[in-house]
Amino acid sequence: MELWDVLDENRQKTGKTIVRGEALNPNEYHLVVFAFIRNSQGKFIISKRTPNKTSPNKWEVTGGSALAGDDSITAVKREVKEELGIDLTDEGVLIRSVKHNSECSYFSDIWLFEEDIDMEAIVCQPEEVSEARLATKEEIYSLVKEDQFVAENPAVVGCLAFL
């Protein structure tokens, strides 16, 4: 069971938690994080979603929901560790934070990590990720165009232009 902190429209914790999948009330949000991991050659680690997830078999940057008690940096590093089995040593830079108003409203924090990761060291979490690879910005844009990259959150793909 995954618990999320409930945030108000100003991104402040309300003191309330909900179980993942429970409906948020109007003006309630949760935190979602994304990690662009770029190596010294300018390539990004992307991962492929497993067939059992929404947007099955599409590529994405690693991300997920913050758990109750997580701050943004803790959540993003935990997600990378869980999904790819790697510990990020770079402190990371928060490159964008966006408030999304939808059926399940959330704040998305998009991080950049500059780190050379040994791709042989990646261990994909079988429930979440089927494979991982390196890709250039151009390759990611091509995957988006071919509908092979998760693009439901336009803020994530939009950040590529600044990286």
Side-chain angles (χ1 to χ4, degrees):
M1 177 173 61
E2 196 171 291
L3 285 179
W4 295 344
D5 286 318
V6 175
L7 308 174
D8 66 20
E9 66 261 5
N10 298 311
R11 199 182 161 124
Q12 300 301 307
K13 289 183 181 180
T14 63
K16 178 179 169 185
T17 59
I18 63 166
V19 174
R20 179 186 187 122
E22 285 182 10
L24 290 163
N25 294 320
N27 298 315
E28 289 183 336
Y29 300 81
H30 74 284
L31 176 61
V32 179
V33 294
F34 299 93
F36 280 98
I37 305 167
R38 181 172 57 194
N39 69 15
S40 56
Q41 287 78 46
K43 293 185 177 182
F44 298 90
I45 295 176
I46 59 173
S47 56
K48 193 178 225 183
R49 296 171 68 87
T50 56
N52 60 310
K53 294 190 68 152
T54 57
S55 301
N57 300 311
K58 288 189 178 184
W59 293 94
E60 66 181 349
V61 295
T62 301
S65 293
L67 300 178
D70 280 351
D71 61 10
S72 184
I73 188 68
T74 301
V76 74
K77 285 187 170 188
R78 178 186 46 73
E79 285 291 333
V80 170
K81 176 69 173 172
E82 285 177 3
E83 293 186 12
L84 302 178
I86 54 177
D87 291 306
L88 294 172
T89 57
D90 181 47
E91 289 304 308
V93 175
L94 179 62
I95 56 175
R96 192 160 187 204
S97 186
V98 180
K99 180 166 56 170
H100 302 270
N101 292 301
S102 61
E103 188 175 310
C104 186
S105 295
Y106 62 99
F107 289 94
S108 63
D109 283 357
I110 304 160
W111 289 84
L112 173 63
F113 296 89
E114 303 272 2
E115 196 160 335
D116 287 316
I117 302 294
D118 177 2
M119 295 302 289
E120 301 288 322
I122 290 179
V123 178
C124 295
Q125 181 185 25
E127 302 81 21
E128 303 261 349
V129 177
S130 61
E131 61 183 292
R133 72 178 185 101
L134 292 170
T136 64
K137 276 201 281 192
E138 293 75 20
E139 289 170 324
I140 294 171
Y141 283 135
S142 179
L143 289 168
V144 170
K145 186 176 180 181
E146 297 165 4
D147 195 30
Q148 294 300 310
F149 195 89
V150 178
E152 284 87 19
N153 184 340
V156 174
V157 174
C159 282
L160 270 176
F162 305 103
L163 301 176

